[in-house]
Amino acid sequence: MAGRSTSSATIQGVDYPKDYPYAHDQDPGAPIRSGVPEHGRVPKYYAVKAHIAALIGELGEGGLLPTERDLAVRYEVSRETVRQALRELLLEGRLRRQGRGTVVAGPKLEQPLALASYTEGVRRQNRRPGRHLIGLDRFPCPVALAADVGVEAGDPVWHLERVLLADDERVGLESTYVAVSRVPRLDVDFEPDSSFYSYLHDQVGVSFGDADERIETVLATPREALLVGTPPALPMLLIHRLSRDVRGRPLERVRTLFRGDRFSFTVRLGERG
């Protein structure tokens, strides 16, 4: 084609002409030109990262990656260059540590941004949801929390904290605040490893109406990292949710941390008239 540049960069065995945004077989959700700059000069670690990404595809989920030393020899680079490539792949959720080795991670869990429970979202992906109880505490509601759960300051509230599991893998940490007056027998009737939303609907007769959510990226605190089993430097997705019942009354405040390397979120958008 007239005017097409012939300069190119080669990465993962594919030549990328300077003005080609995508390789012919590239996922449309991938970075343009696979992240190769227009000037064609690719950082050494990034080229190694691309080679390891190809190796990940060959090994498949659970496959054991060669050691850093073996990868350095294979790609003729320093071990520090290999470490930088591996760090990015770990943060992206392509790899995970297992014992003293590194294995290929499974696909990220997709959680819908909707009034659905964590249980429903995980089951839709043929994974087994679970929760591990950290604590269920009852205490006088502080002023800052009162409006969010629909009580007066000093009224009793519950705080339910649980680690979120998917096929026994720790993937998040959830804190739920709800008025004792809405669920007075939470400490008696509720199974901590089950869905709180199902409990509210089936046993208490409370249905969710709508909610406000805010999502941000954070680093876990040392305590959170310990509970979820991640390095403190791993980016986390933090969701704040304020829920209301079908009558518009405040119901719960939830703070949920999700591992950034194991979760993505989806939402369905519709056209507005």
Side-chain angles (χ1 to χ4, degrees):
M1 182 179 293
R4 174 169 290 174
S5 169
T6 57
S7 63
S8 65
T10 300
I11 191 165
Q12 213 171 303
V14 178
D15 286 325
Y16 291 83
K18 185 176 181 180
D19 55 357
Y20 269 36
Y22 295 102
H24 67 88
D25 59 350
Q26 180 174 320
D27 186 328
I32 291 178
R33 301 181 74 250
S34 287
V36 178
E38 276 69 18
H39 54 56
R41 294 189 296 275
V42 182
K44 187 175 292 185
Y45 88 88
Y46 193 86
V48 173
K49 177 183 174 183
H51 286 300
I52 296 175
L55 180 60
I56 287 172
E58 296 172 8
L59 292 173
E61 182 177 350
L64 181 63
L65 209 67
T67 65
E68 287 183 3
R69 176 178 296 180
D70 291 341
L71 290 170
V73 171
R74 177 183 298 194
Y75 301 126
E76 300 180 343
V77 296
S78 69
R79 291 183 66 175
E80 181 53 40
T81 298
V82 170
R83 287 193 193 103
Q84 187 173 357
L86 292 177
R87 278 196 295 268
E88 290 203 358
L89 290 166
L90 284 162
L91 288 174
E92 291 172 5
R94 305 285 302 280
L95 299 171
R96 61 183 174 85
R97 299 295 190 190
Q98 183 171 292
R100 299 184 63 182
T102 303
V103 300
V104 178
K108 287 188 177 183
L109 292 160
E110 292 186 1
Q111 186 73 358
L113 290 176
L115 273 175
S117 73
Y118 169 77
T119 298
E120 296 169 12
V122 173
R123 281 178 177 164
R124 275 198 290 267
Q125 295 161 84
N126 297 316
R127 303 286 296 274
R128 187 177 71 259
R131 295 167 181 82
H132 173 69
L133 179 66
I134 301 301
L136 175 61
D137 303 306
R138 173 175 170 156
F139 59 95
C141 185
V143 174
L145 180 62
D148 293 344
V149 295
V151 299
E152 298 293 330
D155 288 348
V157 295
W158 295 112
H159 172 230
L160 173 65
E161 185 179 35
R162 298 180 294 175
V163 172
L164 303 177
L165 308 172
D167 291 342
D168 296 325
E169 178 186 11
R170 289 177 285 174
V171 294
L173 181 66
E174 180 183 76
S175 287
T176 301
Y177 300 90
V178 62
V180 170
S181 60
R182 300 301 295 267
V183 283
R185 293 176 56 83
L186 186 65
D187 59 338
V188 177
D189 298 336
F190 179 62
E191 293 294 335
D193 62 349
S194 65
S195 167
F196 180 58
Y197 287 11
S198 295
Y199 168 75
L200 285 175
H201 183 271
D202 298 340
Q203 296 195 47
V204 185
V206 174
S207 297
F208 284 83
D210 59 14
D212 296 321
E213 284 193 338
R214 177 166 58 88
I215 303 176
E216 58 184 307
T217 56
V218 298
L219 296 178
T221 66
R223 176 181 180 271
E224 291 168 339
L226 182 64
L227 289 172
V228 182
T230 61
L234 180 72
M236 308 287 278
L237 295 167
L238 172 60
I239 292 187
H240 301 272
R241 173 182 279 193
L242 295 176
S243 304
R244 292 170 288 272
D245 63 19
V246 292
R247 296 173 59 184
R249 297 179 302 175
L251 182 55
E252 62 164 4
R253 180 187 180 103
V254 183
R255 182 186 190 275
T256 310
L257 276 175
F258 292 99
R259 289 178 52 163
D261 63 337
R262 300 302 298 129
F263 266 90
S264 63
F265 291 89
T266 61
V267 60
R268 184 171 185 175
L269 304 176
E271 183 178 357
R272 296 185 63 181

